[in-house]
Amino acid sequence: MKVNINGEMRELDGQSVLQLLESLSIDPRKVAVERNLEILPKGEYDSTQLADGDSIEIVHFVGGG
Amino acid sequence: MAKADKLIIAGREFNSRLMVGTGKYASNEETALALEASGAEIITVAVRRVNLDRSKEALLDYIDPKKYTLLPNTAGCYTADDAVRTCRLAREAGMSDFVKLEVLGNEKTLFPDNEELLKAAKILVAEGFTVLPYTSDDPIVCKKLEDLGCAAVMPLGAPIGSGLGIRNPYNIRIILDTVKVPVIVDAGVGTASDAAIAMELGCDGVLMNTAIAGAQNPVAMAEAMNLAVRAGRLAYLAGRIPRKLYATASSPLDGLVS
């Protein structure tokens, strides 16, 4: 299936959001995830399965004023 | 300085009245050293996409989030909708309600779009955010932001990154007379005396980034700003003498040898 992650189209097998973060070596505690423009609460990363056509944004804090 | 002189924002107490940004430093190490020297307890951060190849080191690997109150900003947002979306992401990422709300009008001036700002502030306050809005040095807008429930107002001293200093101290004074929430000058400071001027006017705090990060020696400038904010605050509390056109002798006139 195809999933858009941070603007990049990626071909993925069925997996949860938590599995996706782990595969990208991203610490789930340090990010926020938006799925199809809706914030995904941290407690739901494990139970949320990605679906074909999903649009995922993974953000974190960077230096800024 | 009086021990009780704390900055209180939305019921939270802070000892430092200097808030600093974390952008534009040469390295994450330099950011950490400058933050330490500044004595700041509140630091701003931006919310951006994670680099998927993880090639860049993360800021929070260098800064202890337990030591600082992170104030995520909505820099780069030009509509209320974008700013609200960014704040929701920030809350989820940082598990805190504090946000520095900025909604910009255009890229050249980075002046706030106050119409969009007010719209965003209203939504965010209703959603339980502690909103610290970057705004124009306009007392009317500041009053509206306070009435909407913002926890502070953060008027600019001059355009972001300009280093022009406090261009309209009279407006800042009127804002101080107009609102009861903390007034924090955000943007425009160029050097230590600018920060001291803001504090001598009676402002509750100063927020800056470029003045420190862009200095030739950012860590030294961070210390200078730390001292300037404290000096300015102390001078404000001490109460300055009135300005007079003519001299008043400091030495007694009696007992002169003749």
Side-chain angles (χ1 to χ4, degrees):
Chain A
M1 64 180 183
K2 282 195 164 64
V3 176
N4 187 319
I5 305 167
N6 284 4
E8 287 178 29
M9 223 23 132
R10 296 225 172 178
E11 187 67 41
L12 300 175
D13 296 327
Q15 54 187 289
S16 69
V17 169
L18 185 61
Q19 285 168 324
L20 171 70
L21 295 176
E22 283 168 354
S23 73
L24 294 167
S25 308
I26 292 170
D27 182 345
R29 292 168 302 177
K30 290 183 178 171
V31 297
V33 176
E34 200 187 62
R35 181 177 176 236
N36 303 327
L37 300 177
E38 294 281 338
I39 297 282
L40 190 63
K42 284 189 198 294
E44 295 176 19
Y45 291 174
D46 198 15
S47 60
T48 303
Q49 292 294 315
L50 293 171
D52 189 42
D54 270 355
S55 187
I56 303 290
E57 291 285 345
I58 309 167
V59 301
H60 66 160
F61 293 143
V62 301
Chain B
M1 200 178 297
K3 280 204 177 99
D5 183 44
K6 292 186 189 278
L7 170 63
I8 300 171
I9 301 173
R12 287 186 57 185
E13 290 187 358
F14 301 94
N15 292 306
S16 172
R17 292 174 178 274
L18 173 60
M19 303 175 194
V20 298
T22 55
K24 296 193 197 170
Y25 287 93
S27 65
N28 285 326
E29 288 91 342
E30 188 182 73
T31 311
L33 289 172
L35 292 182
E36 185 72 39
S38 75
E41 292 166 299
I42 300 175
I43 62 170
T44 63
V45 291
V47 179
R48 292 292 181 271
R49 282 175 165 167
V50 170
N51 193 341
L52 294 183
D53 64 15
R54 311 296 289 136
S55 57
K56 279 191 192 163
E57 291 171 310
L59 174 71
L60 292 191
D61 293 338
Y62 288 81
I63 292 163
D64 182 1
K66 289 187 196 75
K67 204 167 144 190
Y68 299 102
T69 295
L70 298 184
L71 183 62
N73 68 28
T74 60
C77 291
Y78 287 83
T79 65
D81 285 348
D82 281 349
V84 169
R85 184 182 177 198
T86 303
C87 288
R88 289 173 182 154
L89 284 165
R91 174 152 71 180
E92 192 60 27
M95 312 307 280
S96 155
D97 294 332
F98 270 56
V99 286
K100 171 182 161 179
L101 177 63
E102 50 184 296
V103 187
L104 303 172
N106 68 35
E107 286 177 27
K108 191 170 182 180
T109 63
L110 299 178
F111 280 143
D113 180 332
N114 286 317
E115 190 183 355
E116 290 292 301
L117 180 73
L118 290 163
K119 208 156 76 180
K122 192 173 180 182
I123 296 168
L124 292 167
V125 168
E127 291 187 13
F129 283 91
T130 300
V131 182
L132 286 72
Y134 155 72
T135 183
S136 318
D137 56 357
D138 178 339
I140 307 300
V141 172
C142 286
K143 183 71 175 93
K144 286 183 179 180
L145 288 163
E146 178 182 52
D147 289 345
L148 282 175
C150 291
V153 292
M154 305 208 293
L156 54 81
I160 292 173
S162 69
L164 290 172
I166 314 301
R167 288 298 82 209
N168 197 336
Y170 305 103
N171 271 28
I172 300 289
R173 274 177 58 185
I174 295 171
I175 292 167
L176 286 161
D177 274 347
T178 306
V179 302
K180 293 184 190 74
V181 292
V183 176
I184 295 152
V185 164
D186 177 7
V189 166
T191 189
S193 52
D194 297 329
I197 286 169
M199 296 310 296
E200 286 169 16
L201 286 169
C203 290
D204 298 279
V206 183
L207 199 166
M208 64 183 74
N209 188 344
T210 309
I212 296 175
Q216 292 197 14
N217 183 338
V219 179
M221 187 58 90
E223 188 180 356
M225 293 300 184
N226 182 349
L227 296 169
V229 166
R230 286 158 57 199
R233 177 67 181 175
L234 198 50
Y236 168 72
L237 293 175
R240 62 153 298 150
I241 59 163
R243 288 179 172 87
K244 287 180 296 187
L245 190 56
Y246 291 100
T248 311
S250 298
S251 305
L253 298 175
D254 294 341
L256 275 171
V257 287
S258 53

